[in-house]
Amino acid sequence: MSRPRADQPHSRLRKHHEALALPKRPCGGGGSGETWPTGSDYNTRSAPANLSPRKGPWVAAAAEETSRPPSGLHDPTGLYLGDQDIAANRRELAHLRITHVLNASHSKWRGGAEYYEGTGIRYLGIEAHDSPSFDMSPYFYPAADFIHQALNEGRILVHCAVGVSRSATLVLAYLMIRHHMPLVEAIKTVKDHRGIIPNRGFLRQLVALDNALRMKRSA
């Protein structure tokens, strides 16, 4: 199978990263190699941010460079946010002990569950279009459930083409749904460690999620 195309030059794993330290909680369900085809591919570009640990839940970036040894893997679980280049690097995924991959830029022409055959990695693909008109909201809860389950079982890489819009939106939704973070706090949590640029349509959908969660908590 052909290697997924990289949309950002020199976008490899930076081995100076940290894991998302989260408490383990029971969670069931979920399948292997699931796909929701609903859109097409569109790319955004942004340089990855450097990382440093912070108190509480936080996100590790899978990004550039391979010059330094891994550090800060203090917890058996970990959430990583990256691009399709690192998702295609099975050697580095094995090094990070990634057990699950959530691809927010799934395409029948590029990668998929079959790419990870023989690795033990469980795959979930969402064929999302990085356009303000694309409705990502139907996937907020399924993605949050998949990430939550993955962190109970191992480590997960959430990625799209460049790792700044589609995948970042799903990670933000996860933090809001599962960790009860307001949107502003979720954005800060991620941006403390990786530059992200969700498109304006995704941001509107996250604001709607934030409002719905606030109403639910106050009911």
Side-chain angles (χ1 to χ4, degrees), residues 50-121:
N50 198 4
L51 304 180
S52 59
R54 70 185 292 273
K55 186 176 180 181
W58 46 280
V59 180
E64 292 182 352
E65 302 177 6
T66 58
S67 58
R68 288 173 289 189
S71 63
L73 300 180
H74 304 305
D75 193 88
T77 62
L79 171 58
Y80 296 84
L81 175 61
D83 61 22
Q84 64 187 12
D85 197 34
I86 182 58
N89 192 332
R90 287 183 286 192
R91 177 181 296 181
E92 293 295 351
L93 295 181
H95 179 78
L96 286 175
R97 303 196 301 277
I98 295 295
T99 59
H100 295 66
V101 169
L102 171 53
N103 179 5
S105 58
H106 176 85
S107 170
K108 63 182 179 181
W109 299 286
R110 185 188 308 147
E114 65 276 9
Y115 185 77
Y116 300 104
E117 286 181 1
T119 66
I121 290 175

Side-chain angles (χ1 to χ4, degrees), residues 161-182:
V162 183
V164 299
S165 183
R166 287 166 287 187
S167 55
T169 297
L170 294 179
V171 169
L172 292 172
Y174 161 74
L175 293 174
M176 295 165 66
I177 293 167
R178 286 290 185 169
H179 289 273
H180 312 294
M181 289 187 184

Side-chain angles (χ1 to χ4, degrees), residues 195-206:
I196 59 171
I197 316 172
N199 71 53
R200 63 183 182 275
F202 293 167
L203 286 173
R204 283 195 295 266
Q205 295 162 34
L206 288 169

